[in-house]
Amino acid sequence: MTDDGAVPLRIGDPTDIESELGVGHRWLEEGWQEWQEPEWDAWLAEMPQEDHVMRIAQNWGICPLDVPDDSITAPGIYGFPTDVEPR
């Protein structure tokens, strides 16, 4: 459960890259409704963080961090990267 009360969606077993990164192996065990802060901290420590998501995307072939800023010539949905001047 995240800070906002949401529970991440889990479908299937961890992929090889998720296993390599050590994320996605732990899910809500029986009795999770009674967990206290230490149990939630341990559970959250095994949930993917932003850097894990980027490494997983890179392994799958699509990593936003690998797109060179100078290849962006038109505004996207959220605009330009911070160091790219609109043309």
Side-chain angles (χ1 to χ4, degrees), residues 2-77:
T2 61
D3 291 340
D4 64 0
V7 176
L9 176 64
R10 178 183 172 162
I11 299 174
D13 295 320
T15 62
D16 289 343
I17 187 66
E18 290 166 327
S19 292
E20 181 183 317
L21 295 173
V23 297
H25 291 279
R26 186 172 182 187
W27 197 233
L28 299 177
E29 294 94 11
E30 181 129 353
W32 67 269
Q33 295 90 341
E34 277 74 49
W35 282 0
Q36 299 300 311
E37 192 168 339
E39 289 90 355
W40 282 115
D41 289 345
W43 183 79
L44 285 169
E46 294 189 29
M47 292 297 106
Q49 303 299 315
E50 182 179 356
D51 61 319
H52 297 125
V53 173
M54 293 300 171
R55 291 268 317 273
I56 291 166
Q58 185 177 37
N59 181 265
W60 290 353
I62 304 169
C63 181
L65 299 177
D66 291 340
V67 176
D69 286 345
D70 61 355
S71 72
I72 301 169
T73 59
I77 294 171

